[in-house]
């Protein structure tokens, strides 16, 4: 692979995609040449124009169209990164097929999520596993990356409302984070900005080809999250504990609502959120220990020199009014 790594990204304008682009653009060794594949109708959207102004090559691509044009687009590309939204994972199949035909040297599928059992807990995780099996059937070199639960989604609301501008919109839809069981279930955390920086290291590392890699910054319980936020902010947070039975009921209720309104984005997100909470806050799946059990290579072992943003540093930024929120348009 040359000193300049040519990367094609699908989903570059999303939260994870932007983190990856930021990291690749700021890398000096190696250098990355970035092409963002976007839907033809999105070519001139403000997010894509902003990426183009920063030196990203924006190319229209129809993942559901004929294979030949997509194969042509991927000629000469070293790494394909998919940051496709979880409700469009089927589009990764033709993308992987085209990558194989074009001779791409590594495919990073849209994993980039917390550690979850391959089946039986979170529905979209099963589709990710099916896609990985397809990639392996093709014998397409790959890396499967999962990361800690974002700091940006861990921050609870403050009674004063002074961090509401950093929370997913609208603020009323993001009450103070409930605590699973007794609040002592551990979970791996990562700052969204660091996710892209981890990806930049991983895709330039030959040790991670055909491996599952788990990257995270720290391991916290939600009790500790609340304690840090209270200490830094000086505000007292109310605590709402959720039992396993309540969490299971929330998943069942959300699934029922989704069955009544299939395709409704609000119902879909509610179902996913309930399943994810049950996985990481009740079952305790999102830990380095469970990742190792599932066969992941640890980013801590690969990159012991990685300087990350701690959760307390992120909270301090938030209290100062600094930082950027996620899903601000939802």
């Amino acid at each position: 692979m040359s000193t300049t790594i040519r990367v094609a990204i699908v989903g570059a304008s999303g939260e994870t995609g932007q983190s990856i682009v930021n990291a690749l653009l700021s890398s000096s060794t190696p250098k990355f040449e970035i092409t963002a594949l976007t839907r033809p109708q999105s070519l001139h959207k403000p997010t894509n124009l902003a990426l183009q102004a920063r030196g990203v090559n924006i190319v229209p691509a129809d993942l559901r169209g004929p294979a030949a044009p997509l194969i042509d687009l991927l000629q000469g590309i070293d790494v394909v990164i998919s940051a496709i939204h979880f409700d469009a994972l089927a589009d990764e199949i033709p993308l992987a097929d085209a990558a194989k035909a074009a001779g791409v040297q590594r495919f990073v599928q849209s994993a980039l999520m917390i550690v979850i059992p391959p089946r039986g807990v979170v529905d979209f995780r099963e589709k990710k596993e099916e896609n990985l099996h397809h990639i392996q059937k093709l014998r397409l070199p790959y890396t499967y990356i999962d990361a800690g639960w974002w700091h940006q989604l861990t921050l609870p609301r403050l009674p004063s409302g002074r961090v509401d501008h950093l929370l997913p919109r609208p603020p009323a839809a993001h009450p103070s984070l409930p605590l699973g069981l007794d609040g002592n279930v551990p979970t791996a955390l990562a700052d969204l900005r660091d996710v892209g920086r981890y990806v930049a290291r991983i895709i330039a590392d030959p040790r991670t080809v055909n491996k599952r890699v788990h990257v995270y910054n720290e391991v916290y319980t939600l009790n500790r999250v609340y304690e840090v936020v209270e200490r830094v902010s000086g505000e007292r947070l109310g605590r709402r504990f959720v039992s396993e039975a309540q969490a299971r009921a929330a998943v069942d209720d959300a699934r029922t609502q989704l069955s009544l309104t299939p395709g409704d984005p609000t119902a879909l997100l509610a179902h996913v959120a309930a399943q994810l909470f049950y996985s990481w806050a009740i079952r305790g799946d999102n830990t380095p220990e469970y990742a190792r059990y599932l066969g992941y290579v640890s980013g801590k072992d690969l990159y012991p020199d990685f300087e990350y943003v701690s959760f307390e540093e992120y909270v301090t930024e938030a209290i100062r009014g600094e930082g950027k929120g996620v899903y601000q348009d939802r």
Side-chain angles (χ1 to χ4, degrees):
M1 191 175 291
S2 63
T3 54
T4 297
I5 300 176
R6 292 160 295 185
V7 179
I9 303 180
V10 179
S13 62
E15 300 290 353
T16 303
Q18 289 184 64
S19 175
I20 295 171
V21 169
N22 290 339
L24 298 185
L25 288 175
S26 64
S27 174
S28 57
T29 306
K31 298 289 291 184
F32 294 95
E33 180 183 302
I34 309 170
T35 297
L37 306 185
T38 187
R39 292 177 300 174
Q41 60 268 37
S42 300
L43 189 61
H44 300 294
K45 281 191 172 183
T47 50
N48 282 327
L49 294 177
L51 290 172
Q52 189 172 46
R54 297 174 64 196
V56 176
N57 183 29
I58 307 297
V59 176
D62 183 3
L63 300 186
R64 302 179 184 181
L70 187 56
I71 294 170
D72 288 342
L73 287 177
L74 297 181
Q75 292 291 335
I77 293 295
D78 298 310
V79 180
V80 169
I81 299 175
S82 169
I84 290 175
H85 195 257
F86 67 85
D87 63 353
L89 290 173
D91 291 347
E92 280 190 343
I93 300 301
L95 181 62
D97 290 342
K100 176 65 176 181
V104 168
Q105 298 176 34
R106 188 188 312 225
F107 189 95
V108 179
Q109 70 177 99
S110 183
L112 300 164
M113 177 48 68
I114 60 174
V115 178
I116 306 168
R119 298 190 181 280
V121 177
V122 177
D123 290 354
F124 70 70
R125 177 66 180 82
E126 301 186 8
K127 180 57 180 172
K128 290 173 186 277
E129 195 70 11
E130 290 174 7
N131 287 3
L132 177 58
H133 292 168
H134 181 79
I135 291 163
Q136 291 171 328
K137 183 181 70 175
L138 296 175
R139 301 188 185 185
L140 173 63
Y142 71 90
T143 305
Y144 188 103
I145 306 170
D146 273 333
W149 187 254
W150 298 347
H151 294 165
Q152 289 77 4
L153 294 175
T154 307
L155 184 68
R157 292 192 69 194
L158 293 176
S160 65
R162 58 179 162 155
V163 299
D164 280 0
H165 66 288
L166 296 176
L167 303 179
R169 302 297 188 198
H174 187 88
S176 288
L177 198 65
L179 294 85
L181 305 181
D182 61 357
N184 289 320
V185 178
T187 191
L189 300 180
D191 191 281
L192 174 58
R193 293 165 290 184
D194 288 330
V195 172
R197 294 173 57 229
Y198 281 121
V199 171
R201 294 283 292 267
I202 291 168
I203 65 173
D205 187 347
R207 298 174 298 173
T208 59
V209 175
N210 299 336
K211 297 289 193 297
R212 298 178 190 246
V213 182
H214 179 228
V215 293
Y216 68 99
N217 293 358
E218 302 164 294
V219 177
Y220 267 52
T221 66
L222 284 181
N223 278 331
R224 188 181 175 196
V225 165
Y226 272 60
E227 290 164 4
V228 168
V229 173
E230 287 178 331
R231 173 165 49 79
V232 175
S233 69
E235 297 187 36
R236 178 67 180 173
L237 300 175
R239 285 161 169 75
R240 179 168 64 90
F241 295 91
V242 174
S243 69
E244 181 172 357
Q246 290 171 319
R248 282 180 174 272
V251 171
D252 291 341
D253 291 345
R255 181 179 289 112
T256 298
Q257 183 59 41
L258 182 60
S259 69
L260 296 174
T261 56
D264 177 68
T266 300
L268 178 61
L269 285 173
H271 184 226
V272 168
Q275 288 189 316
L276 288 173
F277 181 82
Y278 177 67
S279 177
W280 69 263
I282 301 295
R283 284 177 46 90
D285 293 324
N286 185 40
T287 66
E289 293 77 17
Y290 190 52
R292 286 186 183 277
Y293 168 78
L294 292 175
Y296 288 75
V297 178
S298 173
K300 297 293 187 187
D301 295 335
L302 292 170
Y303 316 114
D305 62 328
F306 190 95
E307 297 181 2
Y308 57 79
V309 179
S310 72
F311 180 69
E312 185 162 342
E313 287 171 333
Y314 170 73
V315 173
T316 301
E317 287 181 359
I319 298 303
R320 290 176 180 166
E322 302 168 358
K324 178 180 179 294
V326 295
Y327 303 126
Q328 296 293 287
D329 59 344
R330 300 192 178 194

